[in-house]
Amino acid sequence: MPELQQRLDDLRRSVQVLPENADAAAVSDLEKQARSLLADAKNTPYEADAQALFGELARISNPTSPVAATVRGLLRRARIRIEIAGDDDDIDEAIDILAEALGLAPRDPDVIAMLEDAAKDNAQARQRVADLFTRYGVERKAAPPPRTPVETQNIPQAQANNEAKSQPPIYPTSAGYPAPEREIARETQRRMPGQGPTYGGDVDDTLSELTQAYYAGDYQQVIDQANRVLSQQPGNATALEYRQKAEDNLIRGVVPDHRIPFDARVAYNRANSLVRAGNYDEAERLYREARDLAERDGILSWKDAEQALLDIQDLALAREMINEGDRLMSADNWNEALRKYEGALRVVANDPQAEERIERVRRVQGDAEGASAQLSMLGGSLSEQAAQLQTVLGMIGRLRQTLPNSQRLAQLAETANARLNAIKTQLNEQAQSALNRATGATSLEEKLNLTNEAIQLLELAVKLDPGDTTMSDLLLEARSNASDMQRARQVIERAATHIAQNYDNELLQARSMLSNMMQYAQDTRYRTVVNDLLTRYIERAVAAVEEGDVDEATALLQTMHDEPFNIVGRRAEITRLESQVRALRQRGRLRVGSIIGGIIIIVLLVGFLSRPTWEAV
């Protein structure tokens, strides 16, 4: 008993001299001692004092105090900055955040450890951290070297025993194992033989009050009443269970909702609505207001509000990193932007804005790399290259809708357009060459093929640059020429069909059709059809000569000197027919002269014979 009193007094003095801004390590050591003391003082007169001291330490070590919550949020932001550090700016930002945390908690070991971790990055960071440690009077303590096996063996046994005795005994606590009430009761019976444990008649009433106090959130009262029951019934399972739950809730700062003041709950709910609306600054202010209202009502720790403050800090940090990523995306630093977005996603898991931006930057990177690769591997015919460039330009156009101010995409588009202009120039040159060759070609088929080739090239060029009026006019002219050539080819074929029928009307129609196509006089097919038509006229002229029809033969021969027969030259058959017609004409003239001479002779003879008659008259 005197030992428990001494330990209780020592612990109380340690708690009284503990400063308000004590670091977590010192409070944690005192809390361990208080747990051990509470376990030893169970079912003793010192249990109430130990319980009260434990509750005071639990409030001091509460991790959800305003300062501790702020420091923890700053530590989280700095840790994220260090983990995703892509350059020195992130380390500087992390040191700025840790400097704020060091101002709130100069002896916090986590802040100091993280500052030392940040100092390892570069010389400038080391200098800044050293200045901060000097400003706040932080002393770097070197870790003691571990004892070697030889030193451990040389430790005297008496010294080892004294070190073991100096350590307080470790007992299982109610948070992990049942307290040793039964052992204490057995020891009491052994010391007071013949007397068993005393059971009061108000145990049931106390358990009922204990249950009501637990659900009312008065956990200290639950612990006191449970200890009162356990003093009478050391093994009472209900009291042990409720005492364990109350101690855990007291340490963790759990507060039932019905104990939260109405004004605090209203501010808390309004802050939740602002979080959903994205107004994090106003939401953080309302969370702090709700926490302050709860503290003024006697609730020193409201876990929901403190957790909400931590969450809102995470959300603010995630939005800050997303904004930095957007700035880096605008500066075409896509890799660092991706790191920022991924860091924001680590801060707030499943954040839709971070996930959407990660997907977008990966898509932009993939499409840009694909477009650059296609530009570097451009090959094939001009039409194939033009198709590839159009695909690349379409891809770049979609990317520029996402990043309209990207210089990298603008440069990529400029390169693709330069390649496209070069291809358009080549298409124009090849089309002009094809049209020139079509003009100098003699065959209609060759003219048509060359013109169609030029049309394809011009169509592709116009498709690449619809605003080029020169190319558009040239395309229209080439299409018109191709249409005329196709129509001429059809006319030649129809004329050949008429000639094959060998009727006068069909031959006359074929001659009229062929006479209108003298511009294609060099075409082999055209000349063949004209020659066939001339043969048909020669046949008819021969028949007229044979029949002695000089006028018909003369008319046919005259027709053979007109278009389109003049393109085939003068044939021997025509010369022979002309000689025959001239001979026929001479014979005809001689026959007429003979007839006229005979008539004159007859008239003279009749006049002579009838001379006596007409002389008398």
Side-chain angles (χ1 to χ4, degrees), residues 363-364 367 390-403 409:
R363 184 178 64 251
V364 168
D367 292 347
Q390 285 181 327
T391 303
V392 170
L393 286 174
M395 190 182 303
I396 295 175
R398 291 191 297 271
L399 291 179
R400 297 194 70 180
Q401 290 179 358
T402 305
L403 299 174
L409 293 178

Side-chain angles (χ1 to χ4, degrees), residues 338 342 357-367:
L338 180 61
E342 290 176 345
R357 281 170 169 78
I358 288 174
E359 181 183 358
R360 183 182 66 179
V361 69
R362 286 176 177 170
R363 184 178 64 251
V364 168
Q365 281 182 321
D367 292 347

Side-chain angles (χ1 to χ4, degrees), residues 403-433:
L403 299 174
N405 299 323
S406 174
Q407 295 298 323
R408 183 174 175 181
L409 293 178
Q411 184 178 1
L412 200 61
E414 183 178 355
T415 302
N417 285 322
R419 295 278 189 90
L420 202 61
N421 289 331
I423 291 177
K424 188 182 72 173
T425 302
Q426 294 181 19
L427 290 173
N428 187 13
E429 293 176 354
Q430 292 186 8
Q432 291 285 0
S433 175

